[in-house]
Structures are given as structure tokens and as C-alpha cells.
Amino acid sequence: MLLGKVVGSVWATQKEAGMENLKLMIVQPIDSSGNSSGQTVIAVDRIGAGVGERVIVSRGNPARMLFPQKVVPIDAIIVGIVDSLEVGEP
């Protein structure tokens, strides 16, 4: 999983079968201080995250496992909206 910030959304009227009614968001991975740390990813959002929110993203096979009744061609899904974050001192 990774920590990220939603920076935009993707509108696609034509999608692969199995992706109907799935909202797509652009997520910038961030570190615990909020600094960018990697390339943006497009993630499915079923929980209602909005632009500017910090989110938890699951990637790979675990993302697909959230759709047990059908096969979906996704590799990232937003699984949580971060309310707060606490990091200990090194």
C-alpha cells in the first residue's frame, strides 16, 4: 500500500468491460511529510475521495481482490481516506 494525495480525476466514457461505473482518480504518492515520492497513478475510487485529500492506495492483485464477482483490469484502488497521520521521531 502507499500513501498519496488525490490531485485530479479521469473521465473516460469508453472503458473496458468490468469498469463501468468506476470513478477514476489521479493520485500522487507522498511520503509521511507530504512530499511527492514517485510517479502519479490512476486509482479506482469507490469510497468518495476528493481532490486534495490524502488517501491510502492498494496496488496489484490485492486491488483486484475487492471485486470477487468479476474480473476487472485495475492495478490500484483507493481503500481509505486519511483523517490524520502521526509519525514518530527517528
Side-chain angles (χ1 to χ4, degrees):
M1 285 193 281
L2 63 89
L3 182 63
K5 181 177 180 180
V6 178
V7 296
S9 60
V10 175
W11 294 94
T13 55
Q14 298 293 318
K15 297 180 190 175
E16 188 63 40
M19 294 187 65
E20 301 88 359
N21 303 315
L22 293 179
K23 180 178 161 188
L24 303 173
M25 304 301 282
I26 302 170
V27 178
Q28 172 63 58
I30 59 174
D31 61 20
S32 59
S33 299
N35 301 314
S36 296
S37 65
Q39 293 185 326
T40 58
V41 296
I42 297 174
V44 170
D45 175 30
R46 297 194 311 173
I47 60 174
V51 173
E53 290 188 291
R54 291 180 299 176
V55 294
I56 302 166
V57 176
S58 180
R59 299 193 68 186
N61 195 48
R64 287 184 288 278
M65 290 173 57
L66 292 174
F67 299 89
Q69 290 80 17
K70 59 183 176 179
V71 176
V72 292
I74 64 168
D75 67 352
I77 187 168
I78 296 171
V79 295
I81 298 173
V82 177
D83 295 316
S84 65
L85 180 67
E86 183 177 331
V87 179
E89 301 262 344

